[in-house]
Amino acid sequence: MRMKTEVNSNDLMSVCKRRGFIWPSFELYGGVAGMYDYGPTGFSLRNNIVEVWRDIYKGREGFVEIDSETVNPREVFKASGHVDNFEDLITYCTKCQAPFRADHLVKPFYENADVLSASDLEKAFIEHGVVCPECGGKLGPVEEFNLMFKTTIGPGSARIGYLRPETAQGIFVNFLNLYRYNREKLPMGVIQTGRGYRNEIAPRQGMIRMREFNMMEVELFVDPEDKDWVRFKDIENDILTLVPNTGDETVTMSVKEAVDKKIIANRVLAYFVNTTRQLLTRLGINPEKLRFRQHLKDEMAHYAADCWDAEVLLSYGWTEITGIADRGCWDLSRHAEFSGTELTHFKKFDEPKEMEVTKIIAKHKALGPKFKGKAKDISAAMESKTPGDIKNGNLTVNIDGEDIILTDEFFEIATVNEKVSGERVVPHVIEPSHGLDRIFYSILEHAYVFDEEKGYAVLRLKPEVAPIKVGVFPLMEKDGLDVLAKQIYEKVHTPRIEAYYDGAGTIGKRYARMDEIGTPWCITVDYEAFEGKDAGTVTIRDRDSSQQKRIPIDSVPSVIDSLLTGKPFSDL
RNA sequence: GCAAUCGUAAUCUAGCUGGUUAGGAUUCGAGCCUUCCAAGCUCGUCGCCCGGGUUCGAAUCCCGGCGAUUGCACCA
């Protein structure tokens, strides 16, 4: 069989559009770059991808799933760092129009150029004589550009909101709810699918960089001192293809070896790198076109402590489709700081410990007469301080914005024995974050083959993700063949197994149509179903080999079922 | 956002030195035919990206917008 497996993304997009996988959004009105709608087959494929992901994280790992808002108040992204980190200060050359990151231009003159404001930068251009590096022209005003879509919440413009650039924050801001729900235990895994939004300057490469995109995000909260995973030993000998950030070379080694050699930071991160490999290959990503690349130190996101990208080889080159990051305690610490609420895990000691603690004890007798009504607040504030906070014998507390300086007539330092049953720790977060649209597109590229003998494209989708599982045809739409075929269709078509009845045109055309949308099997009712030695049977055709076998009519649903659960066609 | 190239039906494409009923192929639909891999025949549906300008007349020339591809920049 002559097969062409190289993909031209235009050919693939043609098939996708014609066969209802994806459509450029708002084409009726000229289209909008970086936005796509999913058609019936595409949405079905996408849902199947999500189901496999769910099966692994919710099923095997026992994580819980939530759904949170896409519009978030500004505070959330102020805390997460997105407001500042997503906002670039841009300037354009007044002569050649070339755009530049304003802070990059003054980097040589400042230790920390990225803290400068727009007006600081404009002054800095004049002060240091900075001109356009391209043509020497004068630089224009410095403008803000934020990659987040901005909106307002409620009438007026009182409250600023942003469309979320990632779903993760919805999990972090619900940490306490989730933690209670999880009966205050770690590790705690939470998953969420949903849309994210980034106002890309120049969306390119089709579905690879979209302005509105779908994510499947996993946030795993772990004890910072216990970065292991229960099922690690089950997979420690699985083989990973890695590109560590120490060089450019690709290495293959077992998960265990990668951890032992400290290439991957810890066992839990390594486990989920491997889980990502399992997920992607199960979905139909070609294992030979899959690798995990470690982020370079300077490439790491503002929140990441270590990060590995799953990259697949597409017609566009190696493309990131999933990131597995150790976000450390960044997000929870920041939200704790900005919200003023403690977001910690109470880690119980095996045995309560007797500890000697030196602490500040407020002298209420002295405080009361002097501070009257404020005394209660002051004493509470004092006791939350430690002896280390005493400066020059005085202790300063802040009550309602007012600094109150207290001399040692108001407190004493005492050493007491306390029973401590545990400590509070900020959990670390392991985050496998999947770009659903990119995975979707990668699956299509890796499934696409052009069958030169047949003269049309075939999508060799894994049965588990194929939008339609089985086509049901009468050889001719007459002589009762159609009646029987419709009966069979009614039996196999269920909410879980999508079947497709087609009686029009020639049989070859109907097979071709199913091949093109990746339907793995077709049932055909022919005349032998009614007479001769094969009476009571129909044929089942395999997409990838075009082979056919005869199976009893009554067994059709169970045969499809067993094929779907992995039985090879050749074993029928 | 800049530059270059491009934009004709669901898809692929001819026409684009201004005047065509805008041509073909595939797909799609109806029918005939047909006993397993896009067969054949008949009929049919659907199109010049949008807006302005030049002109007696614009798919065709000019300008702007939108979209696509590529390069630059950007991609936390």
Side-chain angles (χ1 to χ4, degrees):
Chain A
M1 233 182 291
R2 285 179 303 137
M3 293 289 178
K4 221 174 88 187
T5 51
E6 333 62 283
V7 194
N8 174 321
S9 62
N10 282 337
D11 295 346
L12 177 58
M13 287 308 260
S14 291
V15 173
C16 283
K17 204 175 162 188
R18 202 155 37 80
R19 293 298 181 197
F21 282 90
I22 51 167
W23 297 314
S25 299
F26 315 112
E27 241 190 338
L28 190 61
Y29 292 104
V32 176
M35 295 187 177
Y36 290 91
D37 292 340
Y38 283 80
T41 44
F43 187 51
S44 184
L45 169 58
R46 197 184 94 191
N47 281 336
N48 294 340
I49 294 168
V50 175
E51 280 307 318
V52 172
W53 169 80
R54 225 170 238 144
D55 182 53
I56 290 176
Y57 280 99
K58 216 171 163 180
R60 187 179 79 195
E61 304 296 344
F63 290 9
V64 297
E65 184 170 6
I66 68 160
D67 184 56
S68 66
E69 291 288 304
T70 57
V71 175
N72 291 208
R74 180 182 165 86
E75 295 88 312
V76 172
F77 299 118
K78 196 69 194 165
S80 73
H82 288 94
V83 169
D84 299 316
N85 283 283
F86 261 46
E87 195 151 76
D88 289 336
L89 293 167
I90 300 217
T91 185
Y92 297 90
C93 171
T94 53
K95 204 168 137 200
C96 72
Q97 316 302 333
F100 301 97
R101 283 274 300 272
D103 54 327
H104 288 182
L105 295 175
V106 299
K107 236 178 197 167
F109 311 109
Y110 298 89
E111 247 175 63
N112 201 4
D114 52 351
V115 301
L116 297 173
S117 71
S119 58
D120 289 343
L121 286 161
E122 285 171 6
K123 280 181 210 142
F125 292 160
I126 298 165
E127 198 174 312
H128 299 282
V130 179
V131 291
C132 172
E134 300 270 312
C135 72
K138 189 175 176 295
L139 293 166
V142 175
E143 296 164 14
E144 279 183 6
F145 184 80
N146 196 303
L147 254 39
M148 287 193 292
F149 285 99
K150 204 173 191 174
T151 185
T152 49
I153 301 174
S157 56
R159 194 136 201 221
I160 295 168
Y162 292 100
L163 292 179
R164 65 185 177 192
E166 57 171 24
T167 60
Q169 298 308 323
I171 294 177
F172 298 135
V173 298
N174 272 303
F175 173 77
L176 286 179
N177 294 325
L178 288 159
Y179 182 60
R180 274 185 221 112
Y181 178 83
N182 205 45
R183 312 268 306 275
E184 307 191 353
K185 288 184 190 66
L186 293 188
M188 171 172 83
V190 184
I191 65 174
Q192 176 168 220
T193 65
R195 296 211 184 219
Y197 306 81
R198 296 179 189 189
N199 203 358
E200 295 285 352
I201 298 169
R204 285 287 164 86
Q205 302 174 316
M207 301 190 81
I208 300 304
R209 266 172 77 190
M210 290 165 68
R211 288 194 165 121
E212 176 169 348
F213 54 98
N214 294 278
M215 281 170 284
M216 302 187 289
E217 289 202 296
V218 179
E219 308 296 336
L220 173 62
F221 299 89
V222 299
D223 180 342
E225 274 145 37
D226 182 14
K227 291 196 172 176
D228 199 352
W229 195 247
V230 275
R231 277 173 290 283
F232 184 84
K233 61 184 180 312
D234 299 343
I235 57 93
E236 64 180 14
N237 294 318
D238 286 6
I239 302 297
L240 295 171
T241 305
L242 302 172
V243 187
N245 67 8
T246 45
D248 287 334
E249 67 276 31
T250 304
V251 293
T252 54
M253 65 180 73
S254 70
V255 182
K256 186 171 188 299
E257 199 183 343
V259 176
D260 290 347
K261 287 185 171 167
K262 300 203 187 322
I263 291 170
I264 301 180
N266 54 63
R267 280 155 71 103
V268 68
L269 190 61
Y271 180 88
F272 285 100
V273 168
N274 190 62
T275 299
T276 302
R277 181 192 62 76
Q278 294 172 321
L279 170 70
L280 294 175
T281 53
R282 181 168 153 192
L283 291 172
I285 296 297
N286 182 346
E288 285 166 17
K289 294 180 177 176
L290 172 65
R291 69 182 189 189
F292 290 89
R293 193 178 64 81
Q294 188 175 29
H295 274 202
L296 301 174
K297 290 274 181 284
D298 60 356
E299 180 187 10
M300 221 80 85
H302 59 268
Y303 47 71
D306 189 13
C307 188
W308 290 81
D309 279 347
E311 295 186 330
V312 293
L313 188 57
L314 299 176
S315 57
Y316 302 117
W318 285 100
T319 306
E320 173 202 346
I321 59 172
T322 296
I324 306 114
D326 184 339
R327 295 174 78 125
C329 62
W330 209 85
D331 299 279
L332 289 181
S333 303
R334 292 278 293 190
H335 283 299
E337 184 190 329
F338 280 70
S339 67
T341 304
E342 196 171 29
L343 302 176
T344 54
H345 165 58
F346 184 71
K347 196 175 159 187
K348 233 176 157 178
F349 297 138
D350 295 339
E351 293 275 316
K353 289 180 189 168
E354 288 279 332
M355 291 177 95
E356 261 196 6
V357 183
T358 55
K359 55 197 289 188
I360 291 168
I361 306 217
K363 289 185 177 170
H364 301 277
K365 239 179 209 171
L367 286 165
K370 170 106 199 222
F371 295 102
K372 310 267 171 24
K374 280 186 187 166
K376 200 177 170 192
D377 289 343
I378 292 172
S379 73
M382 289 168 76
E383 292 186 350
S384 71
K385 301 267 183 183
T386 64
D389 295 323
I390 297 170
K391 299 274 156 23
N392 304 324
N394 294 330
L395 184 65
T396 306
V397 296
N398 186 300
I399 305 292
D400 298 331
E402 182 193 352
D403 277 339
I404 297 170
I405 298 167
L406 300 144
T407 58
D408 63 3
E409 67 182 287
F410 297 107
F411 62 87
E412 60 185 341
I413 297 167
T415 302
V416 293
N417 273 321
E418 277 194 350
K419 207 159 109 183
V420 182
S421 54
E423 61 178 333
R424 304 210 72 97
V425 295
V426 180
H428 279 201
V429 172
I430 306 296
E431 179 197 75
S433 172
H434 313 76
L436 179 48
D437 314 283
R438 290 183 176 190
I439 291 172
F440 172 94
Y441 180 78
S442 304
I443 288 169
L444 288 172
E445 264 211 14
H446 286 191
Y448 180 96
V449 288
F450 191 84
D451 187 324
E452 296 193 324
E453 259 171 36
K454 290 176 170 158
Y456 60 83
V458 178
L459 290 180
R460 294 189 160 179
L461 295 171
K462 288 282 177 85
E464 194 171 25
V465 297
I468 292 171
K469 310 301 186 194
V470 55
V472 183
F473 313 143
L475 186 58
M476 302 293 154
E477 207 164 30
K478 62 179 182 184
D479 301 331
L481 298 182
D482 50 341
V483 177
L484 180 54
K486 276 176 187 157
Q487 282 169 0
I488 294 171
Y489 165 80
E490 295 291 343
K491 269 192 196 146
V492 286
H493 184 75
T494 66
R496 199 172 67 79
I497 298 174
E498 196 168 337
Y500 190 84
Y501 174 88
D502 191 357
T506 63
I507 192 75
K509 194 176 260 185
R510 286 176 265 160
Y511 287 145
R513 225 178 255 137
M514 288 292 113
D515 286 347
E516 225 174 23
I517 59 167
T519 303
W521 308 289
C522 292
I523 302 286
T524 301
V525 177
D526 58 10
Y527 286 93
E528 279 137 81
F530 297 117
E531 57 198 16
K533 67 177 172 57
D534 289 325
T537 66
V538 290
T539 65
I540 180 165
R541 169 188 180 270
D542 178 51
R543 177 193 65 209
D544 297 339
S545 62
S546 295
Q547 277 181 358
Q548 285 183 307
K549 303 202 174 197
R550 297 204 76 88
I551 57 170
I553 291 167
D554 294 340
S555 75
V556 170
S558 64
V559 166
I560 297 298
D561 227 47
S562 61
L563 286 169
L564 266 176
T565 50
K567 185 174 184 173
F569 186 80
S570 52
D571 288 1
L572 286 184

